[in-house]
Amino acid sequence: MTRRRSLAGGAAAAVVVLAAAAAAAAFLSLLDGAAALHLCTDRLFNDTQGRHSDGLPHLNQAEEATWMGLLPRRAGPRDELDWLALYRSITRGGGDVGGEPAGFLSPASLHDVRVDPYGANMYWQGQQTNLEYLLYLDPDRLTWTFRQQAKLPTVGEPYGGWEAPDGQLRGHFTGHYLSAAAHMWTSTHNDALREKMTKVVDILYSCQKKMNTGYLSAYPESMFDAYDELAEAWSPYYTIHKIMQGLLDQYTLAGNPKGLEIVVWMTDYFSTRVKKLIQEYSIQRHWEAINEETGGFNDVMYQLYAITKNQKHLTMAHLFDKPCFLGPLGLHDDDISGLHVNTHVPVIVGAQKRYEVVGDQLYKEIATFFFDVVNSSHTFATGGTSTMEHWHDPKRLVDEIKISSNEETCATYNLLKVSRNLFRWTKEGKYADHYERLLINGIMGNQRGKEPGVMIYFLPMGPGRSKSISGMPTSGLPPKNPGGWGNANATFWCCYGTGIESFSKLGDSIYFLEEGEIPGLYIIQYIPSTFDWKAAGLTVKQQAKPLSSTDSHFEVSIFISSKGDARPANVNVRIPSWTSVDGAIATLNGQKLNLTSAGDFLSVTKLWGDDTLSLKFPITLRTEPIKDDRPEYSSIQAVLFGPHLLAGLTHGNQTVKTSNDSNSGLTPGVWEVNATHAAAAVAGWVTPVSQSLNSQLVTLTQRDGDAQAAAAFVLSVSIADGALTMQESPVAGSDACVHATFRAYHSPSGASAIDAATGRLQGRDVALEPFDRPGMAVTDALSVGRPEPATRFNAVAGLDGLPGTVSLELSTRPGCFVAAPTTAYLAGAKAQVSCRKPTAAAAGEDDDDTAFRRAASFTQAAPLRLYHPLSFSATGTDRNFLLEPLHSLQDEFYTVYFNVLTK
């Protein structure tokens, strides 16, 4: 959402020329190509983001010059404007094109869907964390700048970040809040949330009434004056879209009539402004003006028209379609390189709404072609897209993972809308598969655990990256690229707005309805939930068995019960593309059903009563190559387990001194795996890590002094050189927790060295294995060594004689122990092997021996980190990797793509 540069676009109906591609080509041949081109980049900044290696823009000559001559230069007399006439002049043939198409699937109302806590699943937890944040946010602070703009008394203090009183996007998050709250209230019917969101609407209503022009914003009209003059103004229509969409959602989802009233009056104001711009200059000037980020303004106008049937609202929607972008897509020009992603994906969503509202088949084709272009050439293994918020050269993603500003989550939010709509239109499984992959890997990990209001902007895809430092260092462009985790009170990035929306509507794409004499239901996402299917008189409840890395099948149970007035109904259940029907089992009340193929649907029509549909889909590990068609990068692969993208916890052989550092290149040790003996099968170099091993995990602590107030330290593995060090006690979820956790087991048996009855670390021949380096244990030099054999320790009662402490004596060197430094107890100080002097040991009370005994005694603590249920071990060339789902990580450094060496 950084400010970007756009040049003049074309006419709102690229379609004028698109209907006759041959004629367009003939017309293009008459043009001076260089002089005729107008490019869809950002008019505000002349930078080189997204340009090709030759330094030149790379777009074909399918531009608005081919149809601009067909458009009126002025809209008519200055004192009037016929919106229907203008509409007809910018559309093919004028008037509606075929009317509203029929046969779309309808999403189940969120009023009827409840995400369930079954298995403490990530969907329910994500919803609850988001609900807590929405309830925390203060309506008075959210509307502070609106009241200030309307010259009404302000209450309390304004929020900071992008909502600060001097921010050019102030007010955008309030719009997102209204959308998120409307979806969340519909999903939960939380009374406290309804009270808060209603108060926000009431305040905005009073602000609009006070200004008495229809204008409503948190900043002055001068922002739009600058926009109309093609001067610097950071995306004012983007912000207005968010406010309008939030208010319209309050009307359509929460039933608040004020929401619609405010939006209609706002549209009157902005349509007057657009009319004035066209009349004073030309329609081409309007196309120039909208060549910056306008969000989904066209989309919200189509939604408004569907409610009001007001011709002005439909024409305003067309006027905010972006022809220099949609036109080439209509001609099947697939070069989107250089374009700002989240400027253009919402335009596609609006184009999809245009197809639904008007019935223009071309816009269905545009959306379908766009999805294919992005998904084939520009997406990461998450299913998401963008680097530094732009599309770059197709199938060159290795260059992009060297940059940490990957996958802006706003773009993920909008791309989900695209695939969702395409599924509703076509019922094709590939769109539901993409939605599943992108939701799991691109959305569900964007909260920092259970911390309300802590979310990310970028999701890095490169080796040695971390969500905690994503997007760093800053770009220098205003506003500087946000990085790391945000703050509940002082961030409010665009991705915060889409973030609270995403976690508010997790139930909106599970169930889809098909009208007909026999009602139909499509279940496309496996999310524990309950659906009240009113049209069929049924209750549908699904539960997914919690998945572990040792499972061979993903198991789902769908319970369908009658409410007493059931009638025959058709139920369709998605067979995911990541599975295989070979070995899959589907039963209805214990009776086996025939399955078709992966990527298709299992369809059952019957009079449902108390029925149980059970599904067992084979789930396996697989690799997927990065979208880069250069032969030298054919070995770069991502690892997935079903729909879950796995990331390896890594640092490798790079210059790293703290968790604040990140690898800027492709250092071999960070991402190379050894598959030379795997016979090309991923199971040859990736193996499951059982959850039972959590009982073998331990963290060892010490205090710098005797008092409880003394600083706490933990025994850790240095991320710089693998040595054992003493580090300050880390906060939960941090990368440091990984390096302060060890697996303690008896070597070579592998049995736990932690007594099940007492919970104590004890016994002979104990090996210590760093949490993130499976199979690689501590060596005599107190650093991480190669796989077994490793140094063995005798775990004995602490030499300091205090309860709950343990000392680690080298099995091969009696009297020699792992010890912290006895002087200069500083974070990062290396642990060492120290041996007791025989005389000191005999004396027992010697001062030197007292210090030694304290240094060699550790307090056994609960492990700071546990293995995720989906944990795997991968064999590396320089080190081994612990693989966990990307969505489960917080501050840990990780690698998504691996260089798989087979020879």
Short mmCIF file of all heavy atoms in Angstrom, two decimals, residues 372-390:
data_model
loop_
_atom_site.label_atom_id
_atom_site.label_comp_id
_atom_site.label_asym_id
_atom_site.label_seq_id
_atom_site.Cartn_x
_atom_site.Cartn_y
_atom_site.Cartn_z
N ASP A 372 -5.33 -17.30 -14.16
CA ASP A 372 -4.40 -18.24 -14.77
C ASP A 372 -3.00 -17.63 -14.91
O ASP A 372 -2.00 -18.31 -14.69
CB ASP A 372 -4.92 -18.69 -16.13
CG ASP A 372 -6.15 -19.58 -16.02
OD1 ASP A 372 -6.40 -20.12 -14.92
OD2 ASP A 372 -6.88 -19.71 -17.02
N VAL A 373 -2.93 -16.35 -15.27
CA VAL A 373 -1.64 -15.68 -15.43
C VAL A 373 -0.92 -15.62 -14.09
O VAL A 373 0.27 -15.99 -13.97
CB VAL A 373 -1.83 -14.27 -15.99
CG1 VAL A 373 -0.52 -13.46 -15.89
CG2 VAL A 373 -2.28 -14.33 -17.45
N VAL A 374 -1.61 -15.16 -13.07
CA VAL A 374 -0.98 -15.01 -11.76
C VAL A 374 -0.59 -16.37 -11.20
O VAL A 374 0.53 -16.57 -10.71
CB VAL A 374 -1.91 -14.26 -10.78
CG1 VAL A 374 -1.33 -14.25 -9.38
CG2 VAL A 374 -2.14 -12.83 -11.27
N ASN A 375 -1.50 -17.33 -11.27
CA ASN A 375 -1.26 -18.62 -10.64
C ASN A 375 -0.19 -19.43 -11.36
O ASN A 375 0.49 -20.25 -10.74
CB ASN A 375 -2.57 -19.41 -10.59
CG ASN A 375 -2.59 -20.43 -9.48
OD1 ASN A 375 -2.18 -20.15 -8.35
ND2 ASN A 375 -3.07 -21.62 -9.77
N SER A 376 -0.01 -19.20 -12.63
CA SER A 376 0.98 -19.98 -13.39
C SER A 376 2.38 -19.39 -13.32
O SER A 376 3.36 -20.11 -13.49
CB SER A 376 0.55 -20.10 -14.85
OG SER A 376 0.56 -18.82 -15.48
N SER A 377 2.49 -18.09 -13.04
CA SER A 377 3.80 -17.45 -13.21
C SER A 377 4.25 -16.58 -12.05
O SER A 377 5.42 -16.23 -11.98
CB SER A 377 3.76 -16.56 -14.47
OG SER A 377 3.43 -17.30 -15.61
N HIS A 378 3.35 -16.21 -11.15
CA HIS A 378 3.70 -15.18 -10.17
C HIS A 378 3.41 -15.57 -8.73
O HIS A 378 3.56 -14.73 -7.84
CB HIS A 378 2.95 -13.88 -10.49
CG HIS A 378 3.31 -13.27 -11.80
ND1 HIS A 378 4.42 -12.47 -11.97
CD2 HIS A 378 2.73 -13.35 -13.02
CE1 HIS A 378 4.49 -12.06 -13.23
NE2 HIS A 378 3.48 -12.59 -13.89
N THR A 379 3.00 -16.82 -8.46
CA THR A 379 2.65 -17.17 -7.09
C THR A 379 3.73 -18.03 -6.43
O THR A 379 4.40 -18.82 -7.08
CB THR A 379 1.31 -17.95 -7.04
OG1 THR A 379 1.37 -19.05 -7.94
CG2 THR A 379 0.16 -17.06 -7.38
N PHE A 380 3.85 -17.84 -5.13
CA PHE A 380 4.74 -18.66 -4.31
C PHE A 380 4.00 -19.95 -3.92
O PHE A 380 2.83 -20.15 -4.26
CB PHE A 380 5.16 -17.88 -3.07
CG PHE A 380 5.87 -16.60 -3.37
CD1 PHE A 380 5.24 -15.37 -3.22
CD2 PHE A 380 7.19 -16.61 -3.82
CE1 PHE A 380 5.89 -14.18 -3.50
CE2 PHE A 380 7.86 -15.43 -4.11
CZ PHE A 380 7.21 -14.22 -3.94
N ALA A 381 4.68 -20.78 -3.16
CA ALA A 381 4.09 -22.06 -2.75
C ALA A 381 2.90 -21.87 -1.82
O ALA A 381 2.11 -22.78 -1.62
CB ALA A 381 5.14 -22.94 -2.08
N THR A 382 2.76 -20.69 -1.25
CA THR A 382 1.59 -20.38 -0.42
C THR A 382 0.33 -20.21 -1.25
O THR A 382 -0.78 -20.28 -0.73
CB THR A 382 1.81 -19.07 0.34
OG1 THR A 382 2.11 -18.04 -0.63
CG2 THR A 382 2.95 -19.18 1.34
N GLY A 383 0.49 -19.93 -2.54
CA GLY A 383 -0.63 -19.52 -3.38
C GLY A 383 -0.74 -18.02 -3.48
O GLY A 383 -1.58 -17.49 -4.21
N GLY A 384 0.14 -17.28 -2.74
CA GLY A 384 0.11 -15.83 -2.74
C GLY A 384 1.09 -15.22 -3.72
O GLY A 384 1.89 -15.92 -4.35
N THR A 385 1.06 -13.89 -3.82
CA THR A 385 1.84 -13.21 -4.84
C THR A 385 2.32 -11.86 -4.34
O THR A 385 1.85 -11.37 -3.32
CB THR A 385 0.98 -13.03 -6.12
OG1 THR A 385 1.78 -12.50 -7.17
CG2 THR A 385 -0.20 -12.10 -5.87
N SER A 386 3.28 -11.28 -5.04
CA SER A 386 3.85 -9.92 -4.89
C SER A 386 5.19 -9.94 -4.18
O SER A 386 5.42 -10.73 -3.24
CB SER A 386 2.90 -8.95 -4.18
OG SER A 386 3.00 -8.99 -2.78
N THR A 387 6.07 -9.07 -4.65
CA THR A 387 7.33 -8.76 -3.98
C THR A 387 7.52 -7.25 -4.05
O THR A 387 7.39 -6.66 -5.12
CB THR A 387 8.52 -9.47 -4.66
OG1 THR A 387 8.36 -10.88 -4.52
CG2 THR A 387 9.84 -9.07 -4.02
N MET A 388 7.81 -6.64 -2.90
CA MET A 388 7.81 -5.19 -2.80
C MET A 388 6.51 -4.63 -3.38
O MET A 388 6.49 -3.58 -4.02
CB MET A 388 9.03 -4.59 -3.49
CG MET A 388 10.35 -4.98 -2.84
SD MET A 388 11.81 -4.33 -3.69
CE MET A 388 11.58 -2.57 -3.40
N GLU A 389 5.44 -5.39 -3.16
CA GLU A 389 4.07 -5.03 -3.52
C GLU A 389 3.80 -5.06 -5.02
O GLU A 389 2.70 -4.72 -5.46
CB GLU A 389 3.69 -3.65 -2.96
CG GLU A 389 3.84 -3.56 -1.46
CD GLU A 389 3.25 -2.29 -0.88
OE1 GLU A 389 2.62 -1.53 -1.63
OE2 GLU A 389 3.41 -2.07 0.33
N HIS A 390 4.78 -5.47 -5.83
CA HIS A 390 4.62 -5.47 -7.28
C HIS A 390 4.72 -6.88 -7.86
O HIS A 390 5.24 -7.80 -7.24
CB HIS A 390 5.70 -4.61 -7.94
CG HIS A 390 5.51 -3.13 -7.74
ND1 HIS A 390 5.67 -2.52 -6.52
CD2 HIS A 390 5.19 -2.15 -8.62
CE1 HIS A 390 5.44 -1.21 -6.65
NE2 HIS A 390 5.14 -0.98 -7.92
#
